[in-house]
Amino acid sequence: MKKLKLLSVFVLSFFLTYSQTEDSTFIRHIADYVLTYGNSYEDLRILTKQIGGRLSGSPQMYKAEQWGLKSLENVHPDKAWLQECMVPHWVRGAADEARASYMVPLKKEAKGKSVQKKLDVIALGNSFGSGKPLTGEVIEVNDFADLENKKDQLRNKIVFYNYPFNPRFVQTFLAYSDAVRYRGQGPSRAAKYGAKGVIIRSMSHSTDNNPHTGSTNYNDSFPKIPALAIGLRDADWLSKQLNSGKVEVTMNTHGYFRQDTLAHNIIAELSGSQNPNEFITIGGHLDSWDPAEGAHDDGAGVVQTIEVLRVFKALGYKPRHSIRFVLFANEENGGRGGAKYAEEAKAKGEKHLLALESDEGGFTPRGIAFTGTEAQYSKITAWQKLLCPYGACEIQTGGGGSDIGPLARVLNTPLSSYVPDSQRYFDIHHARNDVFENVNKRELELGAVNIAAFIYLVDKYGL
Amino acid sequence: MKKLKLLSVFVLSFFLTYSQTEDSTFIRHIADYVLTYGNSYEDLRILTKQIGGRLSGSPQMYKAEQWGLKSLENVHPDKAWLQECMVPHWVRGAADEARASYMVPLKKEAKGKSVQKKLDVIALGNSFGSGKPLTGEVIEVNDFADLENKKDQLRNKIVFYNYPFNPRFVQTFLAYSDAVRYRGQGPSRAAKYGAKGVIIRSMSHSTDNNPHTGSTNYNDSFPKIPALAIGLRDADWLSKQLNSGKVEVTMNTHGYFRQDTLAHNIIAELSGSQNPNEFITIGGHLDSWDPAEGAHDDGAGVVQTIEVLRVFKALGYKPRHSIRFVLFANEENGGRGGAKYAEEAKAKGEKHLLALESDEGGFTPRGIAFTGTEAQYSKITAWQKLLCPYGACEIQTGGGGSDIGPLARVLNTPLSSYVPDSQRYFDIHHARNDVFENVNKRELELGAVNIAAFIYLVDKYGL
């Protein structure tokens, strides 16, 4: 590409249609500030590089809490405080390991030769370790229907769920929704038929071999057997190997729970000038899985939340409603932070106008998703032209998030989510490559721009 | 992000509104094929990793031509051929080098100490080398107005254009359009006032220090002085240093031209079943700058062009019009391939319905841009709902590209371009990090899906 030949109709239409209006001017100021003077990328560098992965209960979680409170206070909200909540404290224990043993037929001997291959694995979050190396023959199943068909062959075996991440879903979160049940329910459904361990194909379209962790949910009716994820190349290799003979895997995982421990939601507030007792909440979650830095999941949502407060303060914006900026605790393996926030809101009889979550990565903007009444959705749809110049052209239904879901359940609060592009998210999700280097500065900033613009419109016009 | 809470309104609306129609069904088949069985990513791996950078006249250009013809023939078009064109043959000569010398004041001495710093540089494409190390005092200018103000101070100096890539443009191509004149005209405009060398701040928002090359255009009225680009960190450092004292730079570049050489546009064709003498052209350019692999620029456009042919063949699509798939020669430093294609089309009296270029990188889709009549634009806008489920939601005005521009000039052909997201493009543009690893498989594939879908609609309904 040598020369510019095009001028976006969106940028043009923005300048032509809206340049006179107060809203478009204010949103332009938001963008100019964030894209020129914003600090979200530097905030993320500190959170990821100086603190790193910050699973609930870990020393890094406590460092991240202190950093989060200080970062919010530095932007001078009207208030900032810690909200206590007890969180589960799962510990990986030690590096997870697995190796496969299989027979390679020798050219002139019938018996063949036993060969070993190290697999790149990570234990599922909240899973119990094997205690000692656990060896078993591997039985591959394609899905739960296949598991049921093979239920009589599973006793004392290691079940390998090789369910593919469906490439035909354009939006990768649909592929995740389709596949994640094997991580959540897979171990217990295999244990029901006597399996002693589980291996899961990672939920990803990645072209590398990184394994992806994430919570599993044991059913208390069955033994809590060890479970781990493998990367896509190892999964393809294992499946191919099983086509030509038996494979034994020895897995060694070390996960366990300590006692629940004290953690905190970190909250800052700008007080409303007209409706101080009506709240708008925006947030992301401060905890992250341990193998990486939690840069996209959900460092991005955390620093965007802080950035929205920063730009509102920098522009001297006085909101009509009270706006809360929340760094939630324990999204990944318990959801206790979100539950606590909603519980306290209900106990205090608070009125919540809207909650927005940013927890789909710091990628380039696509839109805003919303769950509420049809009338509210229509109102939001009319704002599309104000957001589209900054990339959020798609006003979708179905907004929400793990941390704000409880608010909808206990207070019927309308929910929204910031929707970035989804193509790269599951390349890094819960894997060792969810690091700062894989976040693009401007994409991260444009997320903050669109969230700030949307919250400004909700605050000004209500729902 | 632990659980999926949203279901895209776009995916939903697609299935609800269009599932019965022939067009949406065919486009769904295009997407299913490309996302499941496509080969564009593997094609790109070979082009970038086995061939690499392929500047006009280089040995790699010839390898790339052979590969391109074979790749198109392997998909069994009705015809495939080479179209000869003479191209300039610029040679970098050797690695470009520069170092800065400046005085660091010593605490207790007035005189200070001379210090040297190596700069990370790359000569501008088509620039002439210094011949031998060239040393001069650096004069920084902010823009051309500043150059004119300082015109009496420039004799025998090295001019440093430190014009920033404006972060307030959301679409980065607008920042490029704003800044690229300093690369194009900067050397000659400085030479006019007696400068002996030029340094340009790279046109990029990157957070690294990679320098970005690209063509400069000498004005024959002035001496053709050497010119190079430096990365953003070095540019900021140099500017800071100049604020506190004099800086000399020694630059050593080696560029020169050999005689023009024979190259080729690589062309494949599917013959039209109803209008065989009306042509639709899609293409990208095969040449690329030498410091990297030309993965996004424009390996992506090349493999997407091949992929569109592949999916049409795989689905047994018989186009109404003849469709040409063109891998253009010499976009980067001459534009001779595009010029030749248009010239021959005119000489043969061909009728061209539309040309589309993919040369803005292999990033996630945003839309299609179009230049033609208002009636044509309205017609295309009505197809937005068919493309949006695959990411091309924005139907923009202003489509075109360097390679297809000549068709519009000589035959008044309507032009379009595939528009991917622009945020990351100038991080890698003409720099050493434009490599295969920075291309995402699904983003690349979704580009091919949208191009194929758009071309199908143009072929079926005309313009």
Side-chain angles (χ1 to χ4, degrees), chain B residues 198-215:
Chain B
V198 158
I199 298 171
I200 314 271
R201 180 187 181 90
S202 287
M203 273 129 258
S204 177
H205 285 310
S206 76
T207 55
D208 60 35
N209 193 42
N210 292 330
H212 296 238
T213 189
S215 284

mmCIF file of all heavy atoms in Angstrom, chain B residues 198-215:
data_model
loop_
_atom_site.group_PDB
_atom_site.id
_atom_site.type_symbol
_atom_site.label_atom_id
_atom_site.label_comp_id
_atom_site.label_asym_id
_atom_site.label_seq_id
_atom_site.Cartn_x
_atom_site.Cartn_y
_atom_site.Cartn_z
ATOM 1 N N VAL B 198 18.735 13.668 4.433
ATOM 2 C CA VAL B 198 17.439 13.776 5.100
ATOM 3 C C VAL B 198 17.183 12.564 5.987
ATOM 4 O O VAL B 198 17.536 11.440 5.626
ATOM 5 C CB VAL B 198 16.304 13.948 4.047
ATOM 6 C CG1 VAL B 198 14.951 13.530 4.596
ATOM 7 C CG2 VAL B 198 16.243 15.386 3.550
ATOM 8 N N ILE B 199 16.605 12.844 7.133
ATOM 9 C CA ILE B 199 16.131 11.798 8.050
ATOM 10 C C ILE B 199 14.639 12.032 8.261
ATOM 11 O O ILE B 199 14.210 13.159 8.510
ATOM 12 C CB ILE B 199 16.853 11.880 9.409
ATOM 13 C CG1 ILE B 199 18.357 11.652 9.232
ATOM 14 C CG2 ILE B 199 16.262 10.873 10.399
ATOM 15 C CD1 ILE B 199 19.168 11.934 10.500
ATOM 16 N N ILE B 200 13.854 10.949 8.158
ATOM 17 C CA ILE B 200 12.396 11.061 8.300
ATOM 18 C C ILE B 200 11.936 10.265 9.515
ATOM 19 O O ILE B 200 12.370 9.130 9.700
ATOM 20 C CB ILE B 200 11.680 10.446 7.063
ATOM 21 C CG1 ILE B 200 12.314 10.893 5.759
ATOM 22 C CG2 ILE B 200 10.187 10.676 7.097
ATOM 23 C CD1 ILE B 200 11.762 12.151 5.197
ATOM 24 N N ARG B 201 11.063 10.843 10.295
ATOM 25 C CA ARG B 201 10.379 10.090 11.356
ATOM 26 C C ARG B 201 9.456 9.068 10.691
ATOM 27 O O ARG B 201 8.675 9.420 9.790
ATOM 28 C CB ARG B 201 9.561 11.048 12.216
ATOM 29 C CG ARG B 201 8.802 10.395 13.356
ATOM 30 C CD ARG B 201 7.885 11.400 14.060
ATOM 31 N NE ARG B 201 7.178 10.784 15.164
ATOM 32 C CZ ARG B 201 7.623 10.741 16.421
ATOM 33 N NH1 ARG B 201 8.772 11.325 16.726
ATOM 34 N NH2 ARG B 201 6.936 10.132 17.364
ATOM 35 N N SER B 202 9.534 7.811 11.103
ATOM 36 C CA SER B 202 8.705 6.785 10.462
ATOM 37 C C SER B 202 7.222 7.069 10.637
ATOM 38 O O SER B 202 6.790 7.607 11.658
ATOM 39 C CB SER B 202 9.037 5.407 11.046
ATOM 40 O OG SER B 202 10.282 4.969 10.587
ATOM 41 N N MET B 203 6.442 6.690 9.625
ATOM 42 C CA MET B 203 5.001 6.907 9.640
ATOM 43 C C MET B 203 4.335 5.731 10.335
ATOM 44 O O MET B 203 3.973 4.737 9.700
ATOM 45 C CB MET B 203 4.497 7.038 8.193
ATOM 46 C CG MET B 203 4.571 8.442 7.658
ATOM 47 S SD MET B 203 5.392 8.530 6.064
ATOM 48 C CE MET B 203 6.992 9.126 6.589
ATOM 49 N N SER B 204 4.164 5.837 11.627
ATOM 50 C CA SER B 204 3.702 4.690 12.402
ATOM 51 C C SER B 204 3.237 5.127 13.784
ATOM 52 O O SER B 204 3.694 6.142 14.304
ATOM 53 C CB SER B 204 4.866 3.702 12.574
ATOM 54 O OG SER B 204 4.491 2.618 13.378
ATOM 55 N N HIS B 205 2.321 4.325 14.364
ATOM 56 C CA HIS B 205 1.944 4.469 15.777
ATOM 57 C C HIS B 205 2.644 3.411 16.620
ATOM 58 O O HIS B 205 2.255 3.200 17.774
ATOM 59 C CB HIS B 205 0.436 4.241 15.952
ATOM 60 C CG HIS B 205 -0.421 5.368 15.490
ATOM 61 N ND1 HIS B 205 -0.208 6.664 15.874
ATOM 62 C CD2 HIS B 205 -1.513 5.391 14.680
ATOM 63 C CE1 HIS B 205 -1.138 7.433 15.322
ATOM 64 N NE2 HIS B 205 -1.922 6.695 14.587
ATOM 65 N N SER B 206 3.635 2.717 16.075
ATOM 66 C CA SER B 206 4.183 1.564 16.774
ATOM 67 C C SER B 206 4.794 1.960 18.114
ATOM 68 O O SER B 206 5.160 3.119 18.327
ATOM 69 C CB SER B 206 5.238 0.882 15.913
ATOM 70 O OG SER B 206 6.430 1.636 15.929
ATOM 71 N N THR B 207 4.895 1.001 19.003
ATOM 72 C CA THR B 207 5.542 1.238 20.292
ATOM 73 C C THR B 207 6.979 0.727 20.275
ATOM 74 O O THR B 207 7.669 0.788 21.286
ATOM 75 C CB THR B 207 4.770 0.533 21.427
ATOM 76 O OG1 THR B 207 4.643 -0.851 21.094
ATOM 77 C CG2 THR B 207 3.389 1.133 21.594
ATOM 78 N N ASP B 208 7.428 0.203 19.134
ATOM 79 C CA ASP B 208 8.811 -0.271 19.036
ATOM 80 C C ASP B 208 9.665 0.777 18.327
ATOM 81 O O ASP B 208 9.240 1.907 18.119
ATOM 82 C CB ASP B 208 8.861 -1.631 18.313
ATOM 83 C CG ASP B 208 8.294 -1.553 16.899
ATOM 84 O OD1 ASP B 208 8.471 -0.517 16.211
ATOM 85 O OD2 ASP B 208 7.672 -2.538 16.465
ATOM 86 N N ASN B 209 10.879 0.417 17.959
ATOM 87 C CA ASN B 209 11.790 1.376 17.321
ATOM 88 C C ASN B 209 12.108 1.020 15.871
ATOM 89 O O ASN B 209 13.060 1.534 15.283
ATOM 90 C CB ASN B 209 13.087 1.482 18.138
ATOM 91 C CG ASN B 209 13.937 2.676 17.724
ATOM 92 O OD1 ASN B 209 13.405 3.754 17.491
ATOM 93 N ND2 ASN B 209 15.250 2.474 17.609
ATOM 94 N N ASN B 210 11.331 0.120 15.280
ATOM 95 C CA ASN B 210 11.614 -0.288 13.905
ATOM 96 C C ASN B 210 11.450 0.872 12.929
ATOM 97 O O ASN B 210 10.417 1.546 12.948
ATOM 98 C CB ASN B 210 10.663 -1.403 13.463
ATOM 99 C CG ASN B 210 10.912 -2.695 14.205
ATOM 100 O OD1 ASN B 210 12.043 -2.967 14.612
ATOM 101 N ND2 ASN B 210 9.873 -3.481 14.397
ATOM 102 N N PRO B 211 12.444 1.102 12.058
ATOM 103 C CA PRO B 211 12.262 2.114 11.015
ATOM 104 C C PRO B 211 11.430 1.547 9.863
ATOM 105 O O PRO B 211 11.476 0.349 9.581
ATOM 106 C CB PRO B 211 13.691 2.411 10.577
ATOM 107 C CG PRO B 211 14.443 1.143 10.831
ATOM 108 C CD PRO B 211 13.782 0.477 12.022
ATOM 109 N N HIS B 212 10.682 2.449 9.199
ATOM 110 C CA HIS B 212 9.767 2.050 8.123
ATOM 111 C C HIS B 212 10.206 2.700 6.809
ATOM 112 O O HIS B 212 10.255 3.925 6.723
ATOM 113 C CB HIS B 212 8.339 2.495 8.453
ATOM 114 C CG HIS B 212 7.755 1.839 9.670
ATOM 115 N ND1 HIS B 212 6.595 1.097 9.639
ATOM 116 C CD2 HIS B 212 8.189 1.801 10.956
ATOM 117 C CE1 HIS B 212 6.332 0.643 10.865
ATOM 118 N NE2 HIS B 212 7.281 1.065 11.684
ATOM 119 N N THR B 213 10.473 1.893 5.791
ATOM 120 C CA THR B 213 10.871 2.434 4.501
ATOM 121 C C THR B 213 9.633 2.723 3.636
ATOM 122 O O THR B 213 8.522 2.813 4.147
ATOM 123 C CB THR B 213 11.879 1.509 3.791
ATOM 124 O OG1 THR B 213 12.396 2.183 2.646
ATOM 125 C CG2 THR B 213 11.266 0.193 3.402
ATOM 126 N N GLY B 214 9.851 2.863 2.345
ATOM 127 C CA GLY B 214 8.797 3.243 1.401
ATOM 128 C C GLY B 214 9.417 4.203 0.405
ATOM 129 O O GLY B 214 10.461 4.802 0.667
ATOM 130 N N SER B 215 8.753 4.368 -0.732
ATOM 131 C CA SER B 215 9.355 5.158 -1.811
ATOM 132 C C SER B 215 9.444 6.643 -1.490
ATOM 133 O O SER B 215 8.529 7.206 -0.895
ATOM 134 C CB SER B 215 8.507 5.029 -3.084
ATOM 135 O OG SER B 215 8.745 3.784 -3.680
#
